[in-house]
Amino acid sequence: MNAVNRRIPKLDARALTTGKGVYTDDLIPPGALTVKVLRSPHPFARVMAVRADAARRLNGIACVLTADDLPKIRFTQAGQSYPEPSPYDRYILEDLVRYVGDPVAIVAGESEQVVDQALRMIRVDYQQLDPVLDYETALDHPSVVHPEQDYFNNFPVGGDPQRNLVASGERSGGDLEQVFSECDVVVEETFHTKAVAQAMMETFRTYTWLDHNNRLNVLTSTQIPFHCRRQIARALGIPQSRVRVVKPRIGGGFGAKQTMCSELFPAVVTMKTGRPARMVFTRQESFTGSNSRHEMRVTVRMGADKDGRVRAIDMYALSNQGAYGEHGPTTIGLVGGKSIALYTPEAFRFRYDVVYTNTMGAGAFRGYGATQGCFALESLANRLAGRLEIDPVELRLRNIPKVGDPMEAYGDGALASSRLEDCIRRGRELIGWEGKFPSVRVDGHTVRGVGMAISMQGSGIANIDTCSAVIRLNDNGFYTLMIGATDMGTGCDTILAQMAAEVLHCPVSRVTVDGVDTDHSPFDKGSYASGTTYLTGMAVVKASTKLAAEIRQQGANRLGVPVLQVMFDGEQVVSKTDPDLKISLSDLAQQLVVGDGEWLQCTATHSSPVSPPPLMAGFAEVEVDTETGKVSVVDYVAVVDCGTVVNPNLATVQTQGGVAQGIGMALWEDIQYNAHGRMLNDSFMQYKIPSRLDLPDIRVEFMPSYEPTGPFGAKSIGEIVINTPGPAIAAAVANAVGVWCSELPIKPEMLI
């Protein structure tokens, strides 16, 4: 291959490295109203009155909006394909506030200073209610977080808001208790993962204006432009045809921007005043007024024969959804589906409940539930290996599915591609497992231990996600690729251009990638669920293949020969029988846009009935100070099967970044609330994410398989890479000091 599987620099690399990247706030012209919101100081309260007359009279204030000024239409902020499984449980503003930070009023003015002054002048009368702050007691709590009568779901998800239940369900196969009764060893443990923040560099930000046709234009940092358009129209009660969403460069999202956090507030200001408006979240607002990873308690029971064959797995997950239901019914499914399937047990069961509480709503975060499930199941697998006195590596090798094996717990048919066994064996070699397992003493108070874990994810959402691509031949022989997928720093613009270039036999430099604009870009579900490479990539391949065929046809027409007698090599259409009979692509392209020419543009759409899993093995080496309990990760090895690696450079940094986030979740990150529901660590001064100084060299290798349903054999890579650090580090710590940690993050006080 000439373009795919090549280390081609990102298309925007020069702009980024020279500081010339242009983001949402850079594109906002002078004169836009500044928009901020007044947020609730209480976790659960009824708004009895908002006294804002003094603020409205303030010179420079354009409007102060309360719940009485806005539509009463239930919607969800979740960026998901319609009909969304997330409950419609929000108004833009409501007289019932459900967490500290819930918006109460919207203020817009000529400057940030006058808006801040107006916010201080607003007085709100609250009737405080008994909050639900402990998700362990939320189900059937006397306080009902969502008592409204117009709450609804598009289809049943097992929820009951009167019980504070967002969703519930069960999935099983085989005779679970019978198989457990036949097992030689049964282990069981409960694991706890905390809520963590996505902590992307660019906060939420949106700019809105009305164009000359009185259409609402929304320039916003989002992962989901088309879903965003739909939900904005719904919440405002206007047709989608009156809304246009434009996505500029994004400064990171990690799932946070799959939820629509900032878009509606400036949108309603623009609709009310007719003026352009901008909203830029502070870092504190991004922590306290957006969404996070779901806190979960996961109980796992695992049964095996004495030779290490895992025969039965039983898992129950309780998920803290927070105040609003975005992504609650869907995140939870990955907890069991993308962990149990790695062991192909004879019998399994996965049960779950998702509950409302009066804390900030949880949402999407890289890994999307599989991260929590992987920590629980892989941690228990490591303990099972200890009980059986079997090397944890060998335990995995005896249980992982092979190509052709059914994956009933995953529900996606037989495994079509896998080199997981090679990933495990290579990771063991790279970390030096044989000489280090379980631990090596460094000195009198320092011990090093090693641990490992495996993981799987998916590639898009089967039978639901749809992605499209349009590619056109321009008048001097270069191509414009139009996509609706949103590059948020991952490099998807680059890899999609590589795929087009591969099909069209041209350098990547000849393919320009247009930015996302819902008025002009083809429909795409957006960047989430690890679907861009796999789904949008296949749409690009289809569209490019169509265009190559059109180029051959048009070239043959001008050469006066049948199309079957010509070939296209990327530079020219040439006769197979007479090499002197040819036309260059540049000349052909020029002829197609004059006279009776036919300008060429091809469109393709792709969806998939399957979601092939990428697979990974992660190995950690940690150093533990037995006097202080400090844990340092000194080496991490990640070996990944993501099918064909489209761009090894980008795949490597994706892996390193995901592992770094996983290390942060394992050792430091932990959103904390006080007894009154207020977030305690709402800045980078209190919320610790790993810096480069905290991380080892993260070593990455790939074991490419060939996925028959993917573009050039590719699967996804974006999410799987965050899943293994938690259980691998926990196992390494246990091997070093003998303390098994069932909760993340692992803190020094747990070890001494």
Side-chain angles (χ1 to χ4, degrees), residues 559 561 564-567 572-583:
L559 296 176
V561 298
L564 293 178
Q565 292 184 15
V566 301
M567 59 178 290
Q572 58 191 3
V573 178
V574 60
S575 169
K576 294 178 181 179
T577 58
D578 181 2
D580 294 329
L581 188 61
K582 58 189 175 183
I583 183 171

Side-chain angles (χ1 to χ4, degrees), residues 35-40 50 52 56 64-67 70 92-94 97 102-107 119 122 124 126 265:
V35 178
K36 295 192 176 187
V37 295
L38 180 70
R39 298 183 180 275
S40 169
V50 179
R56 289 188 175 101
V64 177
L65 304 174
T66 67
L70 301 178
I92 301 171
L93 295 178
E94 194 168 352
V97 289
D102 212 355
V104 176
I106 304 169
V107 179
L119 287 170
I122 298 173
V124 183
Y126 295 98
F265 304 119

Side-chain angles (χ1 to χ4, degrees), residues 68-303:
D68 292 339
D69 303 309
L70 301 178
K72 300 294 189 294
I73 302 170
R74 292 286 171 196
F75 67 100
T76 175
Q77 291 186 166
Q80 298 172 306
S81 295
Y82 182 83
E84 303 91 346
S86 294
Y88 285 33
D89 58 2
R90 284 185 181 267
Y91 291 158
I92 301 171
L93 295 178
E94 194 168 352
D95 60 5
L96 187 67
V97 289
R98 297 180 173 90
Y99 71 98
V100 175
D102 212 355
V104 176
I106 304 169
V107 179
E110 304 295 342
S111 69
E112 185 173 8
Q113 292 74 19
V114 72
V115 170
D116 287 340
Q117 184 179 353
L119 287 170
R120 292 191 295 269
M121 296 172 68
I122 298 173
R123 298 291 179 265
V124 183
D125 296 332
Y126 295 98
Q127 177 190 0
Q128 294 190 51
L129 306 172
D130 183 26
V132 183
L133 298 177
D134 179 7
Y135 77 113
E136 300 273 6
T137 61
L139 194 62
D140 297 319
H141 191 283
S143 294
V144 177
V145 177
H146 280 275
E148 63 267 21
Q149 297 302 305
D150 55 350
Y151 176 109
F152 74 95
N153 290 91
N154 285 312
F155 50 84
V157 293
D160 183 350
Q162 299 305 312
R163 301 182 62 207
N164 291 328
L165 186 64
V166 183
S168 63
E170 178 177 325
R171 188 173 190 172
S172 61
D175 190 335
L176 188 73
E177 296 307 326
Q178 177 62 35
V179 177
F180 266 120
S181 70
E182 298 169 359
C183 292
D184 296 319
V185 174
V186 176
V187 292
E188 183 174 353
E189 184 60 73
T190 297
F191 300 89
H192 182 201
T193 59
K194 304 292 191 64
V196 295
Q198 296 91 342
M200 63 281 172
M201 290 298 292
E202 182 197 32
T203 64
F204 301 91
R205 47 198 61 196
T206 300
Y207 168 60
T208 58
W209 73 99
L210 295 176
D211 63 20
H212 60 283
N213 290 319
N214 206 37
R215 296 177 72 226
L216 177 66
N217 287 251
V218 182
L219 177 76
T220 187
S221 182
T222 181
Q223 298 174 222
I224 46 161
F226 287 91
H227 296 333
C228 193
R229 178 181 65 180
R230 183 179 69 252
Q231 293 298 359
I232 289 172
R234 176 180 174 81
L236 296 178
I238 61 177
Q240 283 193 51
S241 59
R242 286 194 59 198
V243 182
R244 173 193 179 202
V245 176
V246 179
K247 187 270 325 172
R249 186 185 306 280
I250 301 177
F254 307 118
K257 294 173 183 175
Q258 195 190 339
T259 300
M260 202 171 62
C261 295
S262 61
E263 286 81 3
L264 281 167
F265 304 119
V268 297
V269 167
T270 292
M271 295 296 287
K272 290 287 185 179
T273 66
R275 294 186 55 184
R278 66 186 288 271
M279 185 174 196
V280 176
F281 273 38
T282 64
R283 179 59 61 182
Q284 183 186 48
E285 283 182 303
S286 285
F287 272 111
T288 62
S290 60
N291 58 93
S292 67
R293 188 185 294 282
H294 293 75
E295 179 181 16
M296 290 190 191
R297 185 195 74 206
V298 183
T299 300
V300 190
R301 183 170 48 135
M302 209 171 188

Side-chain angles (χ1 to χ4, degrees), residues 248-424:
R249 186 185 306 280
I250 301 177
F254 307 118
K257 294 173 183 175
Q258 195 190 339
T259 300
M260 202 171 62
C261 295
S262 61
E263 286 81 3
L264 281 167
F265 304 119
V268 297
V269 167
T270 292
M271 295 296 287
K272 290 287 185 179
T273 66
R275 294 186 55 184
R278 66 186 288 271
M279 185 174 196
V280 176
F281 273 38
T282 64
R283 179 59 61 182
Q284 183 186 48
E285 283 182 303
S286 285
F287 272 111
T288 62
S290 60
N291 58 93
S292 67
R293 188 185 294 282
H294 293 75
E295 179 181 16
M296 290 190 191
R297 185 195 74 206
V298 183
T299 300
V300 190
R301 183 170 48 135
M302 209 171 188
D305 288 342
K306 59 186 176 183
D307 62 357
R309 174 63 182 165
V310 175
R311 299 188 59 195
I313 298 174
D314 188 16
M315 179 182 287
Y316 170 73
L318 177 66
S319 178
N320 182 2
Q321 179 56 47
Y324 295 97
E326 284 90 14
H327 302 282
T330 44
T331 303
I332 194 68
L334 278 64
V335 175
K338 294 185 178 176
S339 57
I340 296 172
L342 281 172
Y343 288 87
T344 59
E346 297 169 42
F348 75 93
R349 180 176 63 178
F350 173 54
R351 296 172 296 131
Y352 61 85
D353 291 309
V354 184
V355 294
Y356 282 116
T357 61
N358 292 116
T359 56
M360 183 183 71
F365 193 152
R366 188 183 207 166
Y368 204 79
T371 311
Q372 296 95 313
C374 180
F375 172 64
L377 189 56
E378 287 300 284
S379 292
L380 193 64
N382 284 322
R383 299 190 198 193
L384 174 64
R387 281 279 301 274
L388 293 169
E389 297 183 347
I390 295 175
D391 188 310
V393 172
E394 291 300 322
L395 180 76
R396 270 63 174 210
L397 292 174
R398 296 177 192 181
N399 287 283
I400 57 174
K402 305 294 192 297
V403 172
D405 285 350
M407 302 182 77
E408 187 179 359
Y410 184 39
D412 197 53
L415 183 63
S417 61
S418 172
R419 291 190 65 193
L420 180 56
E421 180 177 343
D422 295 328
C423 292
I424 295 170

